């Protein structure tokens, strides 16, 4: 069997490529060419490129699922197909597509398939190719290309990922930015309570759209020149806080897809995505839909949490997403006497950052004010004082200045200058008013 891939193609035994044929005279006196022989390997391979794996979304030749093709002189074509697993449920569909595609060649008398199963290394290679193909062919979303997208991820639950997401988003917005918050933790949504927002989402007719679009809830944060805006979307705005969502993986991915496509986000400087824990359907779907996403990984100091969080980094690498930093949450507790206690161990954040090869952006101490702010719907990063609030704000500044600066810096500068000009005008107007009253 002729190996598929690499440089030139092989052909039929005893014949070159293209296949055998004969010249015939047409009624108008011109000379035509009629295929009378079997195809060559190259022609068969070209036909197989029209066979798409329904699950992986790319053709079986590009994915490396066709290890070889042979063509007999009598027109019998044998195609080798390697499936990711022996009991692949898509086998019948692939068989039908291969046979129908190859049979269109007039020189093919019969199509036979030799099935095989990939090794673990081959499966890994196929999945990498499929993810890269999905990345390169990602459909447009409602998220502007100038928006910096940051997904806050963790390997396991209970590390304070949602609290970190909300506080960082609020701290970045308080620097004068417009920040979206997408609660992609569909089952375990907590963003609405953490931000103190309970208004249901509504769909409205929007200019330029032929159908109503979801309008995110908004929250103004900061004051004066640093006033910013949060735009928030969560399934918690669609169902009651105590309602259990019993959705399968496909429904979860579709929900995130709807939030990315059907929400009127408008112009965003940043989009913070609160990811569900683990490395499942939502994570893979996001990598496909928003391949420019950067990941911030949250872990606690505990060794066990660090080891699990490393899987989130591995998922990002396999999905061609950039991990831009690690944040250690619940770092230590300091009592009123000034003594620090490493209740959850120590060193896990730095160890994970070293393992992944990215910076440790900060260590957020274990502090009652963080939980109290979350329960009250007022992120500690906005109005709070103390080490935890200071660390959230420091990480937010690091994100804006170094880790993921705004893409549209010119627009940010113009906006800030406009805010300065407006403040000076207001000050002048107030001064003129005082002078008028004095006179």
């Amino acid at each position: 069997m002729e190996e598929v891939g690499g440089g030139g193609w092989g052909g039929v035994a005893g014949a070159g490529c293209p296949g055998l044929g004969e010249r015939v005279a047409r009624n108008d006196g011109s000379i035509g060419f009629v295929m009378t022989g079997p195809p060559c390997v190259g022609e068969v391979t070209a036909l197989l490129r029209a066979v798409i794996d329904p699950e992986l979304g790319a053709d079986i030749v590009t994915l490396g699922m066709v290890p070889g093709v042979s063509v007999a002189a009598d027109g019998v074509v044998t195609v080798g197909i390697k499936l990711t697993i022996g009991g692949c449920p898509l086998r019948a569909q692939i068989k039908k597509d291969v046979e129908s595609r190859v049979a269109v060649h007039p020189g093919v008398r019969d199509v036979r398939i030799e099935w095989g199963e990939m090794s673990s290394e081959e499966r890994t290679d196929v999945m990498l190719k499929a993810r890269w193909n999905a990345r390169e062919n990602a459909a447009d979303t409602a998220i502007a290309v100038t928006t910096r997208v940051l997904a806050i991820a963790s390997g396991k639950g209970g590390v304070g990922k949602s609290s970190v997401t909300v506080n960082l988003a609020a701290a970045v917005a308080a620097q004068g930015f417009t920040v979206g918050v997408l609660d992609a933790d569909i089952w375990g949504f907590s963003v609405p309570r953490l931000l103190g927002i309970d208004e249901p989402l509504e769909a409205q007719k929007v200019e330029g759209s032929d159908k109503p679009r979801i309008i995110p809830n908004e929250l103004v944060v900061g004051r004066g020149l640093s006033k910013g805006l949060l735009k928030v979307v969560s399934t918690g705005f669609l169902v009651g806080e105590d309602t259990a969502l019993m959705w399968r993986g496909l429904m979860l991915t579709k929900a995130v897809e709807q939030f990315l496509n059907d929400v009127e986000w408008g112009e965003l400087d940043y989009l913070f995505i609160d990811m569900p824990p683990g490395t499942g359907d939502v994570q893979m779907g996001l990598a496909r839909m928003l391949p420019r996403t950067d990941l911030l990984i949250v872990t606690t100091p505990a060794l066990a949490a660090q080891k699990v969080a490393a899987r989130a980094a591995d998922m990002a690498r396999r999905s061609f997403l950039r991990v831009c930093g690690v944040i250690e949450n619940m770092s230590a507790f300091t009592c009123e006497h000034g003594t620090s206690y490493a209740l959850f161990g120590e060193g896990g954040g730095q160890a994970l950052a070293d393992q992944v090869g990215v910076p440790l952006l900060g260590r957020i101490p274990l502090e009652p004010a963080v939980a109290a702010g979350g329960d009250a719907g007022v992120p500690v990063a906005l109005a709070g004082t103390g080490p935890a609030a200071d660390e959230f704000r420091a990480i937010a500044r690091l994100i804006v200045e170094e880790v993921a600066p705004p893409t549209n810096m010119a627009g940010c500068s113009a906006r800030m200058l406009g805010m300065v000009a407006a403040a000076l005008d207001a000050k002048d107007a107030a001064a003129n008013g005082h002078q008028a009253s004095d006179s």
Side-chain angles (χ1 to χ4, degrees), residues 140-160:
D140 292 336
T141 67
I143 309 302
V145 295
T146 55
T147 301
R148 294 304 298 258
V149 182
L150 295 173
I152 315 302
S154 66
K156 63 189 294 295
V159 300

Tab-separated table of all heavy atoms in Angstrom, residues 140-160:
chain	number	residue	atom	x	y	z
A	140	ASP	N	-16.352	34.124	13.539
A	140	ASP	CA	-16.417	35.419	14.215
A	140	ASP	C	-17.410	35.359	15.369
A	140	ASP	O	-18.407	34.629	15.326
A	140	ASP	CB	-16.836	36.515	13.232
A	140	ASP	CG	-15.766	36.796	12.189
A	140	ASP	OD1	-14.579	36.506	12.469
A	140	ASP	OD2	-16.114	37.286	11.105
A	141	THR	N	-17.141	36.133	16.408
A	141	THR	CA	-18.055	36.261	17.538
A	141	THR	C	-18.382	37.744	17.723
A	141	THR	O	-17.888	38.602	16.994
A	141	THR	CB	-17.429	35.714	18.836
A	141	THR	OG1	-16.333	36.559	19.223
A	141	THR	CG2	-16.930	34.288	18.643
A	142	ALA	N	-19.206	38.033	18.733
A	142	ALA	CA	-19.556	39.422	19.029
A	142	ALA	C	-18.457	40.130	19.813
A	142	ALA	O	-18.582	41.316	20.124
A	142	ALA	CB	-20.869	39.468	19.812
A	143	ILE	N	-17.388	39.415	20.148
A	143	ILE	CA	-16.275	40.009	20.882
A	143	ILE	C	-15.326	40.669	19.890
A	143	ILE	O	-14.783	40.000	19.009
A	143	ILE	CB	-15.519	38.952	21.709
A	143	ILE	CG1	-16.499	38.129	22.564
A	143	ILE	CG2	-14.461	39.624	22.572
A	143	ILE	CD1	-17.324	38.953	23.510
A	144	ALA	N	-15.148	41.972	20.009
A	144	ALA	CA	-14.304	42.708	19.068
A	144	ALA	C	-12.875	42.177	19.097
A	144	ALA	O	-12.384	41.705	20.132
A	144	ALA	CB	-14.318	44.194	19.411
A	145	VAL	N	-12.204	42.277	17.956
A	145	VAL	CA	-10.833	41.755	17.859
A	145	VAL	C	-9.874	42.556	18.718
A	145	VAL	O	-8.775	42.090	19.051
A	145	VAL	CB	-10.356	41.752	16.391
A	145	VAL	CG1	-11.173	40.781	15.565
A	145	VAL	CG2	-10.419	43.157	15.790
A	146	THR	N	-10.258	43.764	19.109
A	146	THR	CA	-9.392	44.583	19.954
A	146	THR	C	-9.545	44.274	21.442
A	146	THR	O	-8.815	44.826	22.269
A	146	THR	CB	-9.698	46.074	19.731
A	146	THR	OG1	-11.091	46.315	19.962
A	146	THR	CG2	-9.350	46.490	18.304
A	147	THR	N	-10.476	43.407	21.796
A	147	THR	CA	-10.712	43.054	23.202
A	147	THR	C	-9.683	42.046	23.691
A	147	THR	O	-9.463	41.018	23.052
A	147	THR	CB	-12.125	42.475	23.382
A	147	THR	OG1	-13.093	43.433	22.956
A	147	THR	CG2	-12.386	42.119	24.839
A	148	ARG	N	-9.053	42.328	24.820
A	148	ARG	CA	-8.158	41.348	25.435
A	148	ARG	C	-9.007	40.361	26.225
A	148	ARG	O	-9.778	40.760	27.115
A	148	ARG	CB	-7.149	42.032	26.370
A	148	ARG	CG	-6.156	42.933	25.673
A	148	ARG	CD	-5.371	42.226	24.590
A	148	ARG	NE	-4.551	41.134	25.081
A	148	ARG	CZ	-3.222	41.221	25.263
A	148	ARG	NH1	-2.586	42.354	25.005
A	148	ARG	NH2	-2.536	40.182	25.663
A	149	VAL	N	-8.885	39.083	25.903
A	149	VAL	CA	-9.704	38.045	26.537
A	149	VAL	C	-8.859	37.268	27.531
A	149	VAL	O	-7.825	36.683	27.171
A	149	VAL	CB	-10.295	37.079	25.482
A	149	VAL	CG1	-11.189	36.051	26.154
A	149	VAL	CG2	-11.072	37.847	24.425
A	150	LEU	N	-9.281	37.261	28.793
A	150	LEU	CA	-8.568	36.571	29.858
A	150	LEU	C	-9.507	35.570	30.511
A	150	LEU	O	-10.536	35.951	31.076
A	150	LEU	CB	-8.061	37.562	30.911
A	150	LEU	CG	-7.000	38.574	30.445
A	150	LEU	CD1	-6.722	39.592	31.542
A	150	LEU	CD2	-5.720	37.853	30.052
A	151	ALA	N	-9.177	34.287	30.410
A	151	ALA	CA	-9.960	33.238	31.062
A	151	ALA	C	-9.294	32.885	32.378
A	151	ALA	O	-8.095	32.600	32.426
A	151	ALA	CB	-10.057	32.006	30.161
A	152	ILE	N	-10.057	32.933	33.445
A	152	ILE	CA	-9.543	32.595	34.772
A	152	ILE	C	-9.874	31.129	35.021
A	152	ILE	O	-11.038	30.751	35.124
A	152	ILE	CB	-10.156	33.478	35.867
A	152	ILE	CG1	-10.168	34.944	35.426
A	152	ILE	CG2	-9.414	33.299	37.168
A	152	ILE	CD1	-8.813	35.513	35.091
A	153	ALA	N	-8.841	30.294	35.097
A	153	ALA	CA	-9.039	28.845	35.119
A	153	ALA	C	-8.388	28.227	36.348
A	153	ALA	O	-7.514	28.817	36.984
A	153	ALA	CB	-8.456	28.219	33.844
A	154	SER	N	-8.823	27.014	36.647
A	154	SER	CA	-8.213	26.232	37.723
A	154	SER	C	-8.417	24.763	37.409
A	154	SER	O	-9.281	24.398	36.615
A	154	SER	CB	-8.844	26.570	39.076
A	154	SER	OG	-10.203	26.162	39.114
A	155	GLY	N	-7.619	23.937	38.017
A	155	GLY	CA	-7.768	22.512	37.779
A	155	GLY	C	-8.875	21.897	38.602
A	155	GLY	O	-9.429	20.859	38.241
A	156	LYS	N	-9.239	22.533	39.707
A	156	LYS	CA	-10.249	21.985	40.606
A	156	LYS	C	-11.063	23.121	41.197
A	156	LYS	O	-10.675	24.291	41.116
A	156	LYS	CB	-9.598	21.165	41.727
A	156	LYS	CG	-8.698	22.004	42.636
A	156	LYS	CD	-7.894	21.132	43.586
A	156	LYS	CE	-8.748	20.404	44.580
A	156	LYS	NZ	-9.439	21.332	45.517
A	157	GLY	N	-12.197	22.776	41.781
A	157	GLY	CA	-13.027	23.772	42.429
A	157	GLY	C	-12.543	24.073	43.836
A	157	GLY	O	-11.698	23.371	44.390
A	158	GLY	N	-13.087	25.148	44.410
A	158	GLY	CA	-12.774	25.475	45.788
A	158	GLY	C	-11.514	26.279	45.996
A	158	GLY	O	-11.070	26.440	47.141
A	159	VAL	N	-10.920	26.815	44.935
A	159	VAL	CA	-9.687	27.592	45.093
A	159	VAL	C	-9.962	29.099	45.035
A	159	VAL	O	-9.027	29.900	45.065
A	159	VAL	CB	-8.635	27.209	44.025
A	159	VAL	CG1	-8.280	25.738	44.144
A	159	VAL	CG2	-9.119	27.536	42.619
A	160	GLY	N	-11.229	29.492	44.929
A	160	GLY	CA	-11.572	30.914	44.904
A	160	GLY	C	-11.456	31.557	43.538
A	160	GLY	O	-11.266	32.772	43.427
